[in-house]
């Protein structure tokens, strides 16, 4: 019996049970699965990695282990493994091997599928790889200018079959990148010379015509209006076809969150004028989403948060998110804090990557050193520069009623917030590799005071996985802030800086570090720094451990580390992985600036940063 694959033939011989059984038993690879069946695989003379790949590809082992597997299932798995073993051999560059699969001494390929044996006791797989082949010819023609074929696709190099496919795809992709959307493989001549152990791979491409984007064809069946879908996608109709532009259009649609599935496919036929229309395959996501969170600190008490979101409010993929938060319940950090906010986003308002937003926040902060009631309303524009860099610029009005150690007062400010966010993290819920940088600059003007200044805040984070499968993670965070151009009495406490607590320095009381005015009076500082480092290590199952060290600084001056104080804390944590991020438990104690021996407990969802 022979198995043709890619024009190369692999022989399958009829084995002798005694020979094959001895090989399998000597291998020590027998398992003891369901139905009292045993199985084993041996590949004499094959490299260890090839043997591992063969075992991983076999379906027999998994089927035998299933308690519900029938004799028909076992026979089907054995017969399917011929092609799977051949595939692994070809992928590794072996084209003259043999595969024998015996089911209780009978060649599996010779057993009629509709007449399985009454019982299956043993399945033995013998794979003889034979010699490894090298390329005698490795050619893809014609190639577009600038096309680079995979390393190793050259005469004299090992000839794994996957490399041939990679080379062919690289050739087609090279033409598509130049606008030849219909480039394809016209012919392939792949021949194995078993005597010389050589493989000839000669692939011919047909580039096809150079095309331009046509129209985005959108079925009028979804919740988002077709004209808004086209505006969001921003398909560059009339421009030369580009796979990158096509993927970017799809990514814009995914980012809205209004669709659970987005697929943009090229039309089968070319329209007049060498135009290629694009068909949009979209599946609407559920429009509404709700969520809630809970945090607990031994000093700050409970914090509860919740949100409601609509992802297609007006039929144009507009997003409305309303959030509420209550903090300090049962804590010893002032009174209870309340916050209610709402934000409306409309994508693709000015350009496919430029949208608008409106937002409002109403909150009351009852903190150890001040009480502030504030209302802030504003709006602006958002822009997506690429998959990792986004920005916002806007204008806002802030009204604040304040009671603190500087007295009672009412302040009004006009704010001009500008922010940039760069995010390359692999998983925001539980990062193992990547970087995050958030930079905010907010110039302001006092409307009831003749003042002007700027509030600046930066948050940088880095994550480095190491060890097998990045099981260990080193995480670091730096926060730096400053406010200048106004006196302390001309600024609301919410625009000043404190340190201590879960978001800055664990182990120290909430907002423990501030500017001491004497006589028991304290206010926030005009400069701030905080640095955190964590080592995250796996334990067993879904559990992992964390060791961390936090440092914080609050200063009286805008840009100086001289006129201020530092404090620090150290601790250990436990994490339990869930689908919404790890459940976090941290225990910390002061190192500098607090009472030695004090212990603070923090519980929440998600990593600390």
């Amino acid at each position: 019996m022979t198995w043709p694959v890619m024009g190369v033939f692999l022989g399958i011989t009829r084995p002798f049970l005694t020979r094959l059984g001895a090989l399998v038993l000597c291998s020590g690879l027998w398992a003891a699965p369901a139905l009292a069946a045993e199985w084993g695989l041996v590949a004499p003379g094959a490299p260890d990695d090839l043997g591992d790949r063969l075992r991983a590809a076999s379906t027999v082992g998994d089927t035998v282990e299933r308690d519900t597997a029938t004799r028909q299932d076992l026979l089907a798995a054995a017969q399917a493994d011929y092609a799977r073993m051949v595939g692994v051999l070809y992928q590794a560059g072996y084209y003259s091997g043999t595969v024998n699969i015996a089911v209780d001494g009978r060649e599996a390929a010779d057993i009629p599928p509709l007449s399985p044996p009454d019982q299956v006791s043993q399945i033995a797989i013998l794979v003889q790889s034979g010699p490894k082949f090298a390329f005698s010819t490795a050619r893809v023609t014609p190639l577009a200018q600038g096309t680079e074929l995979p390393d190793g696709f050259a005469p004299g190099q090992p000839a794994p079959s996957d490399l041939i496919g990679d080379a062919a795809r690289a050739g087609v992709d090279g033409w598509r990148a130049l606008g030849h959307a219909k480039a394809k493989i016209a012919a392939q001549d792949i021949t194995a010379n078993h005597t010389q152990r050589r493989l000839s791979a000669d692939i011919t491409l047909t580039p096809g015509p150079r095309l331009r984007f046509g129209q985005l064809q959108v079925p009028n069946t979804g919740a988002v209006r077709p004209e808004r879908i086209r505006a969001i996608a921003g398909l560059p109709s009339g421009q030369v076809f580009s796979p990158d532009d096509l993927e970017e259009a799809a990514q814009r649609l995914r980012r809205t969150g209004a669709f659970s599935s987005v697929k943009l496919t090229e039309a089968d036929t070319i329209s007049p004028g060498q135009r290629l229309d694009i068909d949009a395959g979209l599946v609407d996501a559920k429009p509404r989403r709700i969520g809630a969170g809970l945090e607990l600190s031994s000093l700050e008490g409970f914090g509860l948060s919740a949100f409601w979101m609509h992802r297609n409010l007006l039929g144009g993929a507009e997003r409305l998110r309303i959030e509420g938060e209550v903090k300090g319940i049962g804590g010893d950090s002032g009174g209870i804090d309340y916050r209610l906010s709402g934000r409306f986003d409309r994508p693709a308002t000015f350009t496919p990557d430029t949208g608008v937003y409106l937002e409002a926040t109403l909150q009351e902060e009852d903190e150890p050193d001040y009480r502030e009631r504030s209302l802030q309303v504003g709006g602006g524009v958002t822009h997506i520069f690429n998959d990792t860099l986004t920005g916002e610029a806007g204008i806002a009005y802030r009204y604040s009623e304040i009671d603190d150690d500087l007295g009672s007062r009412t302040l009004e400010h006009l704010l001009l917030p500008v922010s940039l966010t760069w995010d390359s993290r692999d998983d925001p819920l539980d990062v193992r590799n990547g970087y995050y940088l958030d930079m905010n600059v907010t110039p302001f003007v006092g409307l009831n005071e003749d003042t002007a200044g700027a509030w600046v805040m930066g948050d940088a984070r880095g994550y480095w996985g190491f060890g097998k499968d990045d099981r260990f993670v080193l995480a670091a965070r730096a926060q730096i802030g400053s406010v200048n151009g106004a006196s302390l009495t001309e600024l609301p406490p919410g625009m000043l800086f404190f340190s201590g607590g879960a978001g800055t320095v664990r182990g120290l009381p909430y907002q423990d570090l501030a500017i001491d005015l004497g006589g028991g009076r304290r206010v926030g500082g005009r400069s701030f720094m905080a640095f955190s480092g964590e080592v995250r290590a796996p334990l067993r199952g879904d559990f992992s451990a964390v060791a961390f060290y936090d440092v914080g600084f609050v200063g009286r001056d805008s840009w100086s580390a001289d006129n201020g104080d530092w404090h620090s804390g150290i601790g250990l944590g436990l994490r339990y992985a869930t689908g919404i991020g790890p459940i976090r438990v941290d225990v910390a104690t002061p190192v500098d600036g607090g009472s030695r021996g004090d212990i603070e407990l923090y519980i929440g969802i998600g990593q600390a940063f």
Side-chain angles (χ1 to χ4, degrees):
M1 180 176 294
T2 56
W3 287 66
V5 180
M6 295 174 55
V8 185
F9 292 88
L10 177 67
I12 299 176
T13 64
R14 190 179 302 274
F16 292 101
L17 174 62
T18 54
R19 175 187 172 207
L20 185 56
L23 284 170
V24 175
L25 288 172
C26 290
S27 71
L29 295 171
W30 287 107
L35 300 179
E38 296 178 327
W39 84 283
L41 184 152
V42 290
D48 290 343
D49 62 333
L50 178 59
D52 292 341
R53 291 172 62 184
L54 289 165
R55 293 181 186 91
S58 174
T59 59
V60 168
D62 291 339
T63 306
V64 165
E65 295 290 346
R66 282 172 25 212
D67 293 336
T68 58
T70 65
R71 53 198 173 94
Q72 290 92 340
D73 296 333
L74 293 170
L75 177 60
Q79 293 177 335
D81 269 3
Y82 284 109
R84 299 178 72 88
M85 299 297 102
V86 169
V88 172
L89 289 175
Y90 280 22
Q91 290 168 5
Y94 296 88
Y95 297 93
S96 62
T98 60
V99 176
N100 304 114
I101 303 178
V103 177
D104 288 333
R106 298 175 61 190
E107 188 70 37
D110 293 340
I111 301 175
L114 298 181
S115 301
D118 295 335
Q119 181 179 352
V120 175
S121 300
Q122 294 180 344
I123 301 177
I125 304 173
L126 171 65
V127 180
Q128 300 189 43
S129 62
K132 195 168 189 176
F133 281 51
F135 285 115
S136 59
T137 301
R139 182 167 50 227
V140 178
T141 58
L143 288 178
Q145 185 177 2
T147 301
E148 294 185 5
L149 297 180
D151 293 338
F153 187 72
Q157 296 297 314
S161 62
D162 286 353
L163 193 58
I164 302 172
D166 292 342
R169 283 188 291 271
V172 170
D173 290 344
W175 284 110
R176 284 173 55 82
L178 296 181
H180 297 261
K182 295 299 183 181
K184 62 182 180 180
I185 298 173
Q188 51 183 326
D189 184 6
I190 303 173
T191 307
N193 186 320
H194 292 264
T195 302
Q196 298 180 1
R197 303 174 184 176
R198 292 290 185 266
L199 187 76
S200 173
D202 194 352
I203 300 170
T204 303
L205 306 179
T206 297
R210 195 165 188 245
L211 304 176
R212 296 181 180 275
F213 279 114
Q215 298 300 315
L216 182 63
Q217 303 296 331
V218 182
N220 192 14
T221 56
V224 183
R225 300 189 302 275
E227 64 272 17
R228 285 293 295 151
I229 292 174
R230 295 188 183 94
I232 294 167
L235 190 74
S237 299
Q239 296 185 19
V240 174
F241 172 86
S242 166
D244 291 341
D245 289 344
L246 184 61
E247 175 55 30
E248 187 175 358
Q251 186 63 18
R252 291 188 184 110
L253 291 168
R254 295 186 189 104
R255 276 194 293 251
T256 65
F259 308 101
S260 61
S261 176
V262 175
K263 186 177 182 180
L264 301 186
T265 57
E266 303 150 24
D268 293 332
T269 58
I270 300 173
S271 301
Q274 303 290 56
R275 301 291 183 99
L276 184 65
D277 290 339
I278 303 298
D279 297 325
L282 306 172
V283 178
D284 291 330
K286 293 182 179 179
R288 297 170 186 83
R289 182 182 176 188
I290 60 173
L294 169 67
E295 290 195 355
L296 169 65
S297 168
S298 54
L299 184 63
E300 300 166 47
F302 282 98
L304 301 173
S305 62
F307 74 87
W308 175 90
M309 182 171 66
H310 198 299
R311 292 185 274 205
N312 186 31
L313 186 66
L314 304 176
E318 303 89 354
R319 177 179 296 190
L320 175 63
R321 182 182 176 107
I322 298 175
E323 297 183 65
E325 185 178 43
V326 181
K327 297 172 61 178
I329 303 173
D332 188 20
S333 58
I336 299 178
D337 301 335
Y338 303 92
R339 184 176 185 270
L340 178 65
S341 65
R343 176 167 170 135
F344 172 85
D345 280 275
R346 185 179 190 269
T349 300
F350 301 109
T351 74
D353 294 315
T354 307
V356 297
Y357 73 90
L358 299 171
E359 62 181 359
T361 301
L362 178 66
Q363 66 179 349
E364 177 177 351
E365 296 178 282
D366 191 353
E367 305 295 354
D369 298 301
Y370 67 89
R371 184 173 184 178
E372 178 182 358
R373 302 179 183 89
S374 64
L375 169 66
Q376 182 170 317
V377 295
V381 297
T382 63
H383 187 76
I384 301 172
F385 297 95
N386 52 49
D387 287 340
T388 57
L389 182 62
T390 59
E392 292 185 1
I395 184 171
Y397 166 79
R398 177 173 179 143
Y399 173 85
S400 304
E401 293 181 352
I402 304 159
D403 293 294
D404 61 8
D405 288 342
L406 297 175
S408 299
R409 58 198 185 280
T410 299
L411 299 177
E412 297 178 75
H413 287 90
L414 182 67
L415 312 175
L416 301 172
V418 178
S419 67
L420 281 175
T421 301
W422 179 56
D423 190 352
S424 66
R425 296 174 295 177
D426 55 359
D427 180 2
L429 294 178
D430 190 10
V431 193
R432 293 191 175 275
N433 285 286
Y435 299 91
Y436 174 87
L437 176 62
D438 185 51
M439 188 68 190
N440 292 269
V441 179
T442 303
F444 61 83
V445 176
L447 299 181
N448 51 358
E449 301 283 348
D450 187 17
T451 60
W455 181 87
V456 180
M457 184 67 190
D459 185 354
R461 310 174 194 180
Y463 306 86
W464 301 270
F466 61 97
K468 184 179 180 181
D469 299 325
D470 291 337
R471 298 172 67 240
F472 298 87
V473 177
L474 176 63
R477 182 183 191 184
Q479 302 176 77
I480 299 177
S482 174
V483 60
N484 60 76
S487 66
L488 294 176
T489 59
E490 297 167 337
L491 291 168
M495 293 179 67
L496 298 174
F497 300 103
F498 299 82
S499 181
T504 51
V505 179
R506 288 162 286 184
L508 277 298
Y510 178 64
Q511 294 193 353
D512 176 68
L513 192 59
I515 300 300
D516 188 354
L517 300 178
R521 299 185 306 154
R522 295 179 1 131
V523 295
R526 297 171 62 176
S527 59
F528 163 75
M529 290 183 286
F531 304 95
S532 298
E534 288 192 351
V535 178
R536 303 170 184 172
L539 296 175
R540 299 189 65 179
D542 292 325
F543 287 93
S544 59
V546 173
F548 58 86
Y549 183 73
D550 301 335
V551 179
F553 168 84
V554 173
R556 183 184 296 267
D557 303 324
S558 296
W559 293 104
S560 175
D562 295 331
N563 196 6
D565 294 303
W566 294 85
H567 64 176
S568 60
I570 193 170
L572 297 172
L574 186 67
R575 306 287 186 264
Y576 178 76
T578 71
I580 57 174
I583 296 176
R584 178 180 78 254
V585 178
D586 287 336
V587 177
T589 188
V591 173
D592 181 44
S595 299
R596 298 281 181 143
D598 284 354
I599 299 294
E600 301 292 345
L601 173 68
Y602 308 91
I603 300 175
I605 298 176
Q607 296 285 6
F609 61 88

